[in-house]
């Protein structure tokens, strides 16, 4: 996946200016920047929640600008949200099932008649969901209503749900926000496991440096909508512009 | 007993009990009670049809009665006997004069045409959320009413539409209720049902897991409209005569009250709501005519039933804001949240 010259303005306020990035397969890449630097805006553009004023977004050489979110997800891009956006009245398991069913669709007639194909696909959906609940350590909570979960579990559930759509590219918007340092470490290990097991490319957005520095192979730094630099954690740490624009605030 | 087995047993018991009531009640009970059961079953179809969008998908429609009205008039026009059509509807287009359909096909055609109407109406409206879709669907109801009043070649306008054969018997209504419950239960408790509830909880998160929000809402709306159209046809063949205002705000309010009182996220809740409201209003209505216990005579207090009913609604909403059943299904033995289909138990199988 890559973006070229991506620009988005909200009534004069340029939230993202001339953004370009090229993602490598199976890498974990971080995008950091202070609050309001355009990180969530970037995710919203990639996943079709808003449309860029100019620039392009390509997935395997195909432009995805203008596609509906559901189409983009079907092409293999999944995301989580800053804060939390679970299906609050559904159980933990059903939150994941709702996403896992994307890869095992059943038609209306099948749903009413419930023949063998229906049962097979429902079973496959359930198997995928069980696997992810297990990976994220949520099996014991499977029957609980999602809204009642502790915050840390909610964050992991949101990742499980995104992963259940079977993505090649996983976008995580501030996954460590609100977690303590121990939970953050667990999360970092989980994100690596996810990459290794499912071969996904992961983009992690954070305004906090610790997780990113520990986790990412490559980091892009944004400030007020513009790319300041890209490089390894060491390069970024030493970059004078970053120290000035970002670490000064942190 | 496993969950599966218990539900299968419950369904069997319900079907047998329904069949016994449908065919037995007319022999045992007075016409008055048969009529009450029939109206409960008929209203249950209408409220269930409404629950699909309003309860499970989170699209609070105030326009479903427009679909009921459309179904009633379509079925009525199709099934008035050919000899009477000339007299009652002299300006109908020629091809509609030439034939008259029996009850079942007329009902099916009414359902299908109403569903098509819902596709046209829903395509623009299902993009709206919250209050906006409620007001917009109410606009649709108003339009249907005005069209029914003005399309007098087809509907006799504001005059009573009459001559529809009285064919809605208890077995017919119970049969259609069974079909409605069967189809809706399979839809609501399936991947599609999960998509509906996901859209209800959070449209943004729903699209982020690949669910087409507009598509999901539209399907729920259209299926609900199909059963509303069917219910309208049953209504038409029950009443025999009706007018555009039969299908307007009064019916809307009554159906929505039943749905909200019963519990919006539950199929059995919808039925419970219909039963409670119908029985209560019947009991209260007979009480308000006045009665005597021993020497003590209670005089007639006409209108009191409405006040008591209103009070009961207020109390339910204060103490059970999610309705009598909330989002639980009545399964006797274990009342379960529809949201939390018991995972551990399912996995044991
Ligand atoms: N929908 C919107 N309408 C108007 N302004 C917005 C909208 N979304 C984001 N912005 C603005 O764009 C800028 C970047 O926001 P965002 O991408 O959320 O930052 P980050 O995620 O890096 O904290 C902010 O100034 C924010 O106020
Ligand atoms: Mg953000």
């Amino acid at each position: 996946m890559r973006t070229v010259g991506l620009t988005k303005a909200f009534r004069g306020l340029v939230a993202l200016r001339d953004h370009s990035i090229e993602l490598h397969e199976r890498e974990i890449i971080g995008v950091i920047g202070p609050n309001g630097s355009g990180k969530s805006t970037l995710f919203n553009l990639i996943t079709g929640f808003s449309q860029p004023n100019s620039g392009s977004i390509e997935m395997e050489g195909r432009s995805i600008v203008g596609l509906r979110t559901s189409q983009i997800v079907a092409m293999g891009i999944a995301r989580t949200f800053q804060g939390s956006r679970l299906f609050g009245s559904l159980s933990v398991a059903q939150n994941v099932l709702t996403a896992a069913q994307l890869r095992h669709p059943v038609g209306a007639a099948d749903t009413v008649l419930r023949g063998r194909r229906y049962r097979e696909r429902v079973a496959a959906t359930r198997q995928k969901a069980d696997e992810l609940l297990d990976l994220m350590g949520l099996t014991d909570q499977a029957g609980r209503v999602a809204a009642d979960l502790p915050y840390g579990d909610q964050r992991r559930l949101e990742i499980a749900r995104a992963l259940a759509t079977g993505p090649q590219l996983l976008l995580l918007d501030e996954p460590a926000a609100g977690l303590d340092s121990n939970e953050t470490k667990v999360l970092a290990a989980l994100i690596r496991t996810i990459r290794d097991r499912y071969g996904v490319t992961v983009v992690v957005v954070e305004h906090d440096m610790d997780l990113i520095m520990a986790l990412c192979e490559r980091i892009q730094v944004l400030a007020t909508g513009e790319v300041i630099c890209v490089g390894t954690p060491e390069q970024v740490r030493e970059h004078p512009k970053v120290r000035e624009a970002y670490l000064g605030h942190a | 007993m496993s969950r599966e087995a218990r539900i299968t047993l419950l369904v069997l018991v319900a079907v047998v009990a329904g069949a016994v009531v449908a065919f037995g009640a007319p022999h045992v009970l007075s016409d008055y009670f048969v009529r009450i059961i029939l109206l409960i079953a008929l209203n249950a179809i209408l409220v269930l049809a409404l629950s699909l969008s309003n309860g499970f998908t989170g699209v609070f429609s105030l326009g479903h009665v427009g679909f009921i009205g459309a179904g009633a008039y379509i079925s009525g026009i199709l099934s008035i006997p050919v000899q009477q059509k000339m007299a009652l509807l002299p300006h109908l287009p020629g091809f509609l004069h030439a034939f008259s359909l029996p009850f079942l096909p007329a009902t099916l055609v009414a359902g299908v045409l109403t569903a098509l109407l819902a596709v046209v109406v829903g395509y623009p409206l299902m993009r709206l959320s919250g209050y906006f879709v409620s007001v917009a669907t109410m606009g649709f109801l108003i339009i249907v009413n005005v069209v029914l009043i003005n399309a007098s070649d087809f509907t006799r306008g504001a005059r009573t539409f009459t001559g529809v054969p009285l064919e809605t018997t208890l077995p017919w209504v119970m049969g259609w209720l069974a079909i409605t419950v069967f189809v809706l239960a399979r839809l609501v408790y399936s991947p599609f049902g999960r998509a509906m509830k996901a859209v209800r909880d959070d449209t943004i998160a729903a699209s982020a897991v690949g669910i087409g929000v507009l598509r999901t809402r539209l399907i729920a709306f259209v299926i609900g409209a199909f059963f509303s159209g069917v219910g309208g046809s049953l209504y038409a063949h029950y009443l025999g005569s009706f007018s555009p205002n039969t299908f307007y705000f009064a019916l809307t309010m009554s159906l929505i009250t039943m749905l909200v009182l019963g519990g919006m996220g539950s199929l059995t809740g919808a039925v419970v709501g219909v039963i409670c409201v119908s029985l209560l209003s019947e009991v209260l209505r007979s009480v308000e005519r006045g009665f005597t216990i021993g020497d003590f005579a209670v005089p007639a207090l006409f209108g009191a039933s409405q006040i008591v009913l209103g009070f009961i609604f207020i109390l339910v909403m204060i103490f059970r804001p999610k309705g009598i059943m909330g989002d639980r299904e009545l399964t006797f033995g274990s009342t379960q949240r529809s949201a939390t289909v018991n995972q551990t138990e399912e996995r044991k199988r």
Side-chain angles (χ1 to χ4, degrees):
Chain A
M1 207 228 50
R2 65 176 189 149
T3 68
V4 182
L6 210 53
T7 297
K8 175 71 183 177
F10 297 103
R11 278 186 235 97
L13 174 94
V14 183
L16 200 65
R17 188 192 302 275
D18 201 21
H19 180 273
S20 300
I21 199 169
E22 178 147 12
L23 304 179
H24 310 311
E25 247 174 73
R26 300 174 69 105
E27 79 173 328
I28 301 179
I29 182 163
V31 177
I32 58 172
N35 273 328
S37 56
K39 307 182 297 292
S40 297
T41 300
L42 173 64
F43 278 9
N44 288 341
L45 293 173
I46 296 173
T47 50
F49 280 106
S50 63
Q51 302 302 320
N53 298 92
S54 60
S56 71
I57 309 169
E58 285 167 21
M59 175 94 176
E60 285 164 353
R62 267 181 64 193
S63 168
I64 60 169
V65 174
L67 295 183
R68 270 179 277 120
T69 299
S70 55
Q71 295 173 309
I72 293 170
V73 177
M75 287 176 73
I77 301 181
R79 70 171 291 180
T80 65
F81 293 90
Q82 190 175 345
S84 199
R85 289 203 98 107
L86 294 170
F87 304 125
S89 78
L90 300 190
S91 72
V92 169
Q94 293 203 336
N95 265 273
V96 183
L97 288 166
T98 305
Q101 69 195 35
L102 177 67
R103 303 293 169 195
H104 308 281
V106 288
D110 276 352
T111 299
V112 174
L113 302 175
R114 308 229 161 160
R116 196 159 116 222
R117 185 170 51 180
Y118 176 86
R119 291 197 303 271
E120 280 169 3
R121 293 195 177 170
V122 165
T125 306
R126 180 163 293 283
Q127 197 182 354
K128 179 77 182 172
D130 283 346
E131 174 191 317
L132 288 169
L133 288 172
D134 187 45
L135 175 70
M136 296 310 238
L138 290 167
T139 305
D140 293 341
Q141 318 266 32
R144 284 182 74 181
V145 177
D148 297 346
L149 281 189
Y151 186 72
D153 290 348
Q154 291 198 6
R155 299 318 315 258
R156 291 207 309 289
L157 176 54
E158 216 180 324
I159 298 174
R161 187 181 66 183
L163 209 46
T165 62
Q168 292 155 263
L169 173 60
L170 182 61
L171 311 175
L172 305 176
D173 198 345
E174 305 207 8
L179 300 187
D180 63 32
S181 64
N182 200 34
E183 287 174 317
T184 305
K185 262 186 216 132
V186 174
L187 184 71
L190 266 175
I191 293 173
R192 263 197 216 95
T193 311
I194 288 168
R195 188 267 309 270
D196 295 343
R197 190 175 300 180
Y198 297 102
V200 290
T201 306
V202 185
V203 184
V204 186
V205 151
E206 274 294 338
H207 68 270
D208 172 88
M209 297 277 263
D210 296 345
L211 175 75
I212 297 278
M213 288 295 173
L215 184 64
C216 299
E217 290 131 16
R218 217 153 54 100
I219 296 173
Q220 180 178 65
V221 186
L222 299 183
T224 57
E226 292 187 57
V227 179
I228 301 185
C229 73
V230 192
T232 63
E234 292 72 34
Q235 289 168 339
V236 166
R237 213 194 304 266
E238 299 311 319
H239 200 287
K241 266 195 185 161
V242 175
R243 308 196 125 229
E244 174 194 336
Y246 185 70
L247 294 182
H249 295 257
Chain B
M1 211 186 325
S2 80
R3 199 181 107 83
E4 190 99 319
R6 193 177 62 236
I7 287 178
T8 311
L9 189 72
L10 247 146
V11 168
L12 278 176
V13 169
V15 167
V16 172
V20 168
V21 170
F23 293 99
H27 297 292
V28 187
L29 299 175
S30 69
D31 283 354
Y32 169 72
F33 284 107
V34 172
R35 210 190 71 223
I36 291 178
I37 297 174
L38 188 147
L39 281 176
I40 286 177
L42 181 47
N43 281 322
I45 295 173
L46 301 178
V47 174
L48 283 167
L50 189 62
S51 77
L52 210 53
S53 58
N54 292 38
F56 292 101
T57 319
V59 173
F60 202 92
S61 160
L62 294 175
H64 270 54
V65 169
F67 295 128
I68 299 170
Y73 274 90
I74 291 169
S75 175
I77 292 166
L78 292 174
S79 44
I80 295 177
V82 174
Q83 317 85 279
Q84 293 179 35
K85 270 195 192 178
M86 269 306 183
L88 291 167
L89 299 165
H91 304 297
L92 268 188
F95 75 100
L96 284 172
H97 267 150
F99 70 94
S100 121
L101 287 182
F103 187 27
L104 181 62
T107 301
L108 287 171
V109 172
V112 169
L113 291 183
T114 307
L116 288 177
L117 176 63
V119 174
V120 176
V121 175
Y123 193 73
L125 293 198
M126 290 302 107
R127 289 158 213 274
L128 306 174
S129 297
Y131 310 118
F132 305 105
V133 78
S134 301
V135 172
T137 46
M138 189 169 76
F140 163 71
L141 173 63
I142 295 170
I143 291 170
V144 169
N145 186 260
V146 173
V147 168
L148 289 177
I149 289 173
N150 287 288
S152 48
D153 286 0
F154 294 86
T155 64
R156 297 171 51 83
R159 285 178 302 161
T160 306
F161 187 93
T162 190
V164 183
L166 295 174
E167 299 198 64
T168 300
T169 56
L170 191 55
W172 271 115
V173 182
M174 294 293 271
W176 273 110
L177 176 60
I179 291 171
T180 309
V181 170
F182 175 79
V183 171
L184 294 200
R186 291 219 144 171
L187 284 175
V188 165
Y189 298 99
S190 77
F192 178 70
R194 269 196 307 258
M196 284 171 23
K197 294 171 206 160
V199 167
R200 173 190 68 191
D201 281 5
D202 189 332
T203 50
I204 289 176
S207 40
V209 297
I211 294 169
V213 173
L214 174 64
R215 179 175 171 274
T216 305
R217 283 178 171 173
L218 194 57
I219 293 174
F221 193 66
V222 168
I223 294 173
F226 172 83
F227 286 105
S228 298
V230 166
S233 167
L234 298 179
Y235 228 127
H237 289 259
Y238 170 73
L239 296 171
S241 330
F242 44 85
S243 70
N245 286 346
T246 311
F247 306 101
Y248 211 27
F249 287 121
L251 184 57
T252 304
M253 284 307 130
S254 133
L255 295 179
I256 285 185
T257 306
M258 292 175 184
L259 177 65
V260 173
L261 233 60
M264 293 223 293
S266 154
L267 294 173
T268 45
V271 178
V272 166
V274 175
I275 294 174
C276 289
V277 174
S278 309
L279 289 185
L280 254 174
S281 54
E282 282 305 320
V283 169
L284 289 171
R285 209 177 343 214
S286 60
V287 169
E288 78 177 353
R289 283 191 214 111
F291 57 92
T292 49
I293 305 167
D295 292 339
F296 186 67
V298 177
L301 266 176
F302 293 105
S305 75
Q306 298 297 311
I307 295 176
V308 176
L309 212 53
F311 255 112
I312 291 172
F313 295 166
I314 291 170
L315 290 178
V316 172
M317 285 300 100
I318 289 174
F319 292 104
R320 291 199 78 114
K322 290 176 89 185
I324 297 168
M325 297 300 294
D327 55 5
R328 286 156 210 267
E329 292 293 354
L330 190 63
T331 55
F332 299 98
S334 80
T335 5
Q336 245 165 10
R337 279 185 77 115
S338 61
T340 14
V341 172
N342 197 321
Q343 287 298 311
T344 40
E345 217 174 318
E346 282 216 328
R347 218 176 272 130
K348 270 185 218 148
R349 282 187 284 119

